[in-house]
């Protein structure tokens, strides 16, 4: 019985990893031109989404934001990560106008994800996630919209929205920001 459970567990683990690799893989990622209209697939995390352009899948890492992991071991942090993922997924699909990718220069990170902003109509998805307190501003690297994002984050923090309403998450976010500043 134990052997059977180990085999089943291994099989399912392999299937999950293969599916995730398929969504994130460099080989299947389209090089998306800024201004391209996209079809949403799903939010992988609060700061990472899978999309299609002309039927070709790609993964976009949203510039300027950092979400807590939806699979974190700590309950508070995990629930905030899940809320960020749900929020990103809703914003991908909701609103008027097409889903559009924006950037000044095409870049991919070490995982093959396109680094860009996403906009649904007039709404900047990353900025909206910051406004709701679902993610923090990722200050490790400078980005064009940083001042706008930091202003929105300060308002969310003052209103204790989302992660800023959790003392544990606020301490974690503040510590991460200190590390990012030291790394620059």
């Amino acid at each position: 019985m134990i052997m059977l459970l180990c085999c089943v567990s291994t099989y399912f683990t392999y299937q999950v990893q293969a599916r995730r690799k398929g969504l994130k893989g460099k080989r299947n990622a389209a090089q998306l031109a800024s201004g391209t209209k996209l079809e949403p697939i799903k939010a992988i995390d609060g700061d990472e989404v899978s999309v299609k352009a002309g039927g070709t899948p790609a993964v976009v890492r949203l510039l300027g934001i950092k979400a807590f992991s939806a699979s974190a071991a700590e309950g508070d942090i995990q629930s905030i990560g899940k809320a960020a993922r749900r929020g990103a997924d809703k914003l991908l699909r909701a609103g008027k106008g097409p889903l559009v990718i924006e950037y000044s220069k095409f870049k991919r990170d070490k995982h093959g994800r396109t680094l860009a902003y996403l906009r649904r109509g007039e709404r900047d998805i990353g900025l909206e996630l910051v406004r709701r307190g679902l993610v923090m501003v990722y200050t490790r690297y400078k980005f064009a919209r940083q001042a706008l994002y930091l202003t929105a984050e300060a308002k969310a923090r003052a209103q204790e929205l989302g992660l800023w309403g959790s003392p544990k998450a606020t301490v974690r976010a503040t510590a991460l920001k200190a590390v990012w500043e030291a790394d620059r």
Side-chain angles (χ1 to χ4, degrees):
M1 185 61 145
I2 292 173
M3 185 65 133
L4 176 65
L5 289 174
C6 286
C7 289
V8 169
S9 176
T10 301
Y11 172 77
F12 283 111
T13 300
Y14 174 78
Q15 292 299 316
V16 167
Q17 292 303 320
R19 183 167 183 252
R20 187 172 180 103
K21 186 176 181 182
L23 283 173
K24 288 185 162 185
K26 291 181 183 179
R27 293 185 196 141
N28 71 348
Q31 182 167 337
L32 307 169
S34 187
T36 299
K37 293 179 183 176
L38 306 172
E39 176 186 337
I41 297 174
K42 72 174 189 170
I44 297 168
D45 235 334
D47 53 18
E48 179 181 22
V49 300
S50 59
V51 296
K52 282 185 189 177
T56 304
V59 176
V60 176
R61 170 64 172 83
L62 296 172
L63 279 173
I65 64 171
K66 178 69 177 146
F68 287 126
S69 174
S71 59
E74 299 169 78
D76 286 358
I77 303 299
Q78 183 184 60
S79 65
I80 291 166
K82 286 181 178 181
R85 182 178 60 205
R86 283 191 308 271
D89 203 52
K90 285 180 185 176
L91 289 168
L92 283 177
R93 299 167 199 297
K96 297 178 182 177
L99 180 64
V100 177
I101 189 166
E102 297 177 331
Y103 56 83
S104 57
K105 182 179 177 185
F106 181 80
K107 290 183 186 173
R108 284 197 176 126
D109 67 6
K110 64 183 178 182
H111 304 290
R113 303 174 299 188
T114 300
L115 301 173
Y117 305 103
L118 289 180
R119 177 177 46 83
R120 169 68 80 180
E122 296 300 315
R123 181 181 285 175
D124 176 331
I125 291 175
L127 180 59
E128 188 62 31
L129 290 167
V130 171
R131 282 183 179 139
R132 296 178 184 187
L134 297 173
V135 299
M136 66 191 100
V137 178
Y138 188 42
T139 57
R140 185 171 185 188
Y141 306 103
K142 292 210 180 272
F143 61 100
R145 301 177 186 178
Q146 190 164 351
L148 182 63
Y149 279 42
L150 286 170
T151 299
E153 182 181 81
K155 288 179 183 175
R157 190 171 186 163
Q159 295 172 357
E160 296 184 349
L161 298 176
L163 72 95
W164 306 111
S166 163
K168 182 185 258 184
T170 299
V171 167
R172 175 85 46 94
T174 304
L176 282 170
K177 286 176 171 283
V179 169
W180 299 335
E181 289 299 316
D183 283 350
R184 281 205 285 172

